[in-house]
Amino acid sequence: MTTAAIIGGGVIGGGWAARFLLNGWNVRVFDPDPEADAKLAPVLAQARRALPSLTDVALPPEGVLTFHNDMAEAVSGVDWIQESVPERLEIKHAVLASVQAHCPPDSIIGSSTSGFKPSELQQGAARPGQIMVCHPFNPVYLMPLIEVVPSPQTDLALVEKAEGILRGLGHFPLRVRKEIDAHIADRFLEAVWREALWLVKDGVATTEEIDEAIRMGFGIRWAQMGLFDTYRTAGGEAGMRHFMAQFGPALKWPWTKLMDVPEFTDELVDLIAGQSDAQSGHMSISQMLAARDDNLVGMMRALKANNWGAGAVMNAHEAALREGTVLGAHADDLEDVSAPILTVRRAVPLDWTDYNGHMNEARYLQAFGDATDRFMALIGCDAEYIATGGSYFTAETHIRHVDEALAGATIEVLTQVLAGAGKKLHLFHEMFEGDRLLATGEHFLLHVSLETRRPSEPSPAIVAALDRIAAAHADLSTPEGAGRAVGQRP
Ligand SMILES: NC(=O)c1ccc[n+]([C@@H]2O[C@H](COP(=O)([O-])OP(=O)(O)OC[C@H]3O[C@@H](n4cnc5c(N)ncnc54)[C@H](O)[C@@H]3O)[C@@H](O)[C@H]2O)c1
């Protein structure tokens, strides 16, 4: 079992702890604050609510979380150390010295620092090669980006290892090729912040109007295409060159008239804090955090459906979660197919629920549809096969809603073949939470030629894989509820 040590368990350390823990790592937290575990609890609760929603495959079982006051105990034998102590260089130096006195020489030491360069962190270090910046974004348990910044002294093999581990946690490691104060992303945020201060101070806009200008417009655009691709598309078919020619003179503004920086006076702080209270004081911070997480999950899941940006990162994470399990296997890899086969194992995501927090009706069909897709892939009717012109089309569906499921529940679907021969495929899915039956779905499918749109024979390989499972399942008893018509009582 892999183990991470989280040094400093505040907002950011807590987010790291949750990300590691929910991805199956053991986590040791070192923080001198006697309230460290109480501080971590709400972050962990938020992460448990939101993170499992991201992918359509369940995360591995959680690792074990422990708290430590002794550095040797916290870092001995660990694979990863993440430093997330306050942003003061002398504290970071002291902590890194203590970490290196006790940790394995080949473990990764990542620093969450928002501002310092890795070479600054490495000053006076026993083994500078071990230290790199791994700069996360809040909430660490949901945001994919980690800016990975080595200095010329950092061991590049260790950096590559760190990037592999980060991908395994569902993160997107972005290697910063040249160390610089505040890395990449925070430099943008700094520029935007400076502009916002100026606009508020001069009474051009309120905090609320600035937020609307972002979230009703370029914020949504940036989340999916960033800056340059957004401008490229704005240039029409002629692309970036045309865009730059068209807006050329305007692009010079940043060097001329937009550079005012207001002084950070008490008056300005009062002005901004007052406007912020008026804007959002009617919500508690925990209500806002829950809304933030719901929105982030929903937006990232939309990107996931398009296999784009942050969504593509989630799909890669999901593929890794499937690998080596029945959820990623071909039927030929399975020695024993005599029992109903696991086709879905996932958490009920936040965006699958209605106003009661229950999984809504349409999502039962989605889960069963996913189970059918997975069964098709299992017998070889996967994306590659479908591209050759054959697929199964669902002709009939009957769902029974037996019990409720809440957001975050881990559901499993087991699939039994009632009949499978030639063009016909008759499946019976049972959805469980633990051993509680939630629903059943019975589906009749026909193999069709995507060219003629008429029923056709599947490939011999699919026929062979399906025959094997159908023969094995013929020995199972007919499941309760199979063949039922709507409204019939048992
Ligand atoms: N807050 C953000 O949005 C954000 C984002 C990215 C990176 N960061 C960076 O993450 C780091 C931590 O920031 P934060 O916002 O979590 O701060 P925080 O104040 O919430 O947490 C810091 C934690 O470190 C603990 N601590 C203090 N001295 C310690 C020591 N000697 N050993 C171990 N723990 C110690 C504190 O008790 C506290 O729990 C900073 O370097 C910051 O720049 C912050």
Side-chain angles (χ1 to χ4, degrees):
M1 181 69 108
T2 37
T3 303
I6 305 298
I7 313 300
V11 176
I12 293 302
W16 275 108
R19 175 73 86 156
F20 276 108
L21 201 66
L22 269 64
N23 277 285
W25 283 56
N26 290 333
V27 171
R28 301 184 202 155
V29 174
F30 174 94
D31 191 315
D33 187 343
E35 300 287 304
D37 52 349
K39 263 191 336 202
L40 196 83
V43 183
L44 202 50
Q46 289 155 17
R48 285 192 179 119
R49 179 175 166 277
L51 178 61
S53 277
L54 280 185
T55 45
D56 297 305
V57 180
L59 295 171
E62 268 184 37
V64 177
L65 173 67
T66 49
F67 292 87
H68 304 264
N69 293 319
D70 178 56
M71 185 63 88
E73 198 185 278
V75 300
S76 67
V78 301
D79 305 275
W80 187 296
I81 297 130
Q82 186 67 29
E83 172 277 299
S84 306
V85 301
E87 187 74 351
R88 293 202 359 231
L89 196 54
E90 73 280 9
I91 301 184
K92 301 226 184 244
H93 280 157
V95 163
L96 290 170
S98 166
V99 164
Q100 289 204 314
H102 302 288
C103 76
D106 58 350
S107 53
I108 292 153
I109 304 180
S111 168
S112 299
T113 179
S114 305
F116 296 117
K117 298 194 279 276
S119 58
E120 291 172 291
L121 300 172
Q122 287 166 333
Q123 286 158 4
R127 292 180 302 274
Q130 226 180 340
I131 298 171
M132 66 194 83
V133 169
C134 291
H135 177 235
F137 293 79
N138 197 18
V140 185
Y141 53 82
L142 285 184
M143 300 299 279
L145 182 62
I146 304 291
E147 291 175 321
V148 177
V149 198
S151 83
Q153 270 191 294
T154 313
D155 174 358
L156 283 185
L158 213 53
V159 175
E160 274 162 28
K161 189 174 164 195
E163 289 168 337
I165 290 174
L166 289 168
R167 281 188 203 97
L169 296 169
H171 277 303
F172 179 80
L174 178 68
R175 176 91 65 99
V176 178
R177 54 180 74 229
K178 198 171 169 181
E179 61 170 351
I180 185 170
D181 289 341
H183 327 309
I184 299 173
D186 279 357
R187 298 182 70 94
F188 286 106
L189 296 183
E190 184 102 358
V192 172
W193 176 239
R194 188 177 59 225
E195 268 321 293
L197 292 178
W198 178 77
L199 290 171
V200 174
K201 178 182 167 285
D202 281 18
V204 177
T206 62
T207 57
E208 182 164 8
E209 287 158 0
I210 288 172
D211 283 351
E212 298 297 18
I214 295 172
R215 61 192 170 197
M216 296 297 160
F218 70 81
I220 307 177
R221 232 165 43 181
W222 280 5
Q224 50 87 48
M225 268 196 192
L227 180 66
F228 287 105
D229 268 358
T230 297
Y231 285 164
R232 183 183 176 83
T233 54
E237 283 305 323
M240 201 64 188
R241 242 171 236 291
H242 175 66
F243 173 82
M244 294 190 74
Q246 190 180 2
F247 293 100
L251 295 178
K252 289 188 181 149
W253 285 355
W255 288 279
T256 56
K257 56 178 175 178
L258 301 183
M259 282 302 282
D260 286 10
V261 185
E263 226 179 294
F264 213 70
T265 58
D266 287 351
E267 210 184 342
L268 180 61
V269 172
D270 287 347
L271 181 66
I272 289 177
Q275 288 187 1
S276 175
D277 288 348
Q279 179 184 346
S280 300
H282 60 286
M283 286 179 281
S284 70
I285 295 296
S286 67
Q287 279 174 326
M288 290 181 78
L289 291 178
R292 174 200 68 186
D293 285 3
D294 288 2
N295 294 334
L296 288 173
V297 167
M299 285 173 0
M300 286 199 272
R301 287 182 56 76
L303 292 169
K304 181 172 184 291
N306 292 341
N307 197 32
W308 189 274
V313 174
M314 286 154 54
N315 280 331
H317 187 213
E318 185 174 307
L321 290 169
R322 288 180 189 276
E323 216 171 272
T325 76
V326 63
L327 294 171
H330 183 277
D332 295 350
D333 305 329
L334 305 179
E335 267 177 41
D336 182 2
V337 291
S338 60
I341 297 170
L342 182 76
T343 44
V344 167
R345 182 164 202 286
R346 62 163 312 137
V348 174
L350 295 169
D351 62 342
W352 276 26
T353 52
D354 56 24
Y355 48 87
N356 291 322
H358 297 154
M359 181 158 86
N360 74 39
E361 197 179 328
R363 300 305 187 172
Y364 283 85
L365 177 57
Q366 179 159 350
F368 286 135
D370 290 347
T372 299
D373 280 353
R374 173 61 205 134
F375 184 83
M376 284 164 51
L378 181 82
I379 59 173
C381 184
D382 52 16
E384 207 176 307
Y385 175 81
I386 292 168
T388 68
S391 186
Y392 284 94
F393 280 9
T394 304
E396 196 172 334
T397 288
H398 181 208
I399 291 177
R400 292 185 311 152
H401 300 271
V402 179
D403 211 338
E404 298 169 337
L406 297 176
T410 300
I411 55 171
E412 291 186 333
V413 177
L414 296 175
T415 300
Q416 181 172 338
V417 177
L418 297 182
K423 303 162 198 160
K424 296 178 181 174
L425 177 58
H426 188 173
L427 298 177
F428 192 82
H429 301 304
E430 287 182 309
M431 183 191 295
F432 293 93
E433 181 185 358
D435 51 13
R436 198 163 57 91
L437 181 69
L438 303 178
T440 66
E442 188 171 350
H443 307 263
F444 186 78
L445 298 100
L446 276 173
H447 188 276
V448 293
S449 154
L450 296 175
E451 202 178 308
T452 63
R453 318 304 281 186
R454 308 284 310 157
S456 70
E457 291 296 323
S459 73
I462 289 179
V463 169
L466 180 56
D467 277 356
R468 177 172 163 245
I469 299 174
H473 287 196
D475 293 337
L476 296 171
S477 51
T478 306
E480 195 275 313
R484 273 260 294 283
V486 170
Q488 242 180 356
R489 298 252 163 229

